[in-house]
Amino acid sequence: MKKIFFVFFCGLSLLFNAACSNPDEDLRDDRIYFFYQTTCPHCHDAAQYVKANYPNLKITSLDIRLPGNMRLFEKAIQKYAITGPKGTPLFLLGDKYIMGWSGAKQDEFDLYVKPYIK
C-alpha cells in the first residue's frame, strides 16, 4: 500500500511539473496550487483531468498530510474565506478557488485556468 502512495505522489509531481515550494511562503496569485491527499479518489480524478487536458501546465502540488503543506492549506482557507466543510482537492487560481471535483468543477477549472495558459 505504501508503494502505491509513493508511486502516486511521484506521479503527481511529474504530471504537474511541480515547483518546489516553501510551505511558509505566502500564496502567490501568479501560481496555481493543487492541494491533495494520496488517499483521495477525487484528487486522482482531478489530477488525471488536468494531465490529460493541460499537460504543460505548471502547478504547485502539495500533499496536505505533510505538516508544512497543511500550514499553507490553512493559510489558503483563511485567505479565500472558505467556510463549511474543507477538504481536497483544492485548486487555487489567482483570486479563484475550486474545492472538490465533478463535471461542473472541470468547467470551472477550464474557465479559471485560461490566464495561466501560455
Side-chain angles (χ1 to χ4, degrees):
M1 193 62 136
K2 288 182 181 179
K3 186 175 182 180
I4 291 170
F5 294 138
F6 177 75
V7 169
F8 175 73
F9 176 75
C10 291
L12 275 179
S13 295
L14 291 173
L15 296 178
F16 287 125
N17 301 316
C20 292
S21 175
N22 176 356
D24 293 320
E25 75 180 20
D26 288 328
L27 296 166
R28 296 174 36 184
D29 289 339
D30 64 341
R31 181 180 291 175
I32 298 173
Y33 295 89
F34 174 52
F35 292 94
Y36 70 93
Q37 297 180 70
T38 57
T39 57
C40 168
H42 301 292
C43 296
H44 289 265
D45 293 343
Q48 289 175 352
Y49 177 82
V50 174
K51 179 192 175 207
N53 292 283
Y54 304 97
N56 298 318
L57 188 63
K58 296 211 184 289
I59 295 180
T60 299
S61 299
L62 301 156
D63 182 347
I64 67 166
R65 294 185 318 152
L66 301 174
N69 295 347
M70 178 54 98
R71 284 192 299 276
L72 196 58
F73 178 78
E74 290 167 352
K75 282 183 181 182
I77 297 300
Q78 290 176 356
K79 177 179 178 179
Y80 291 82
I82 298 172
T83 59
K86 292 140 188 86
T88 58
L90 172 64
F91 286 97
L92 306 180
L93 302 102
D95 62 347
K96 310 269 192 275
Y97 75 90
I98 300 169
M99 183 176 288
W101 197 252
S102 65
K105 301 292 182 171
Q106 290 175 9
D107 294 341
E108 276 184 81
F109 187 88
D110 292 340
L111 180 63
Y112 297 164
V113 78
K114 287 181 182 182
Y116 298 90
I117 298 173
K118 297 178 181 183

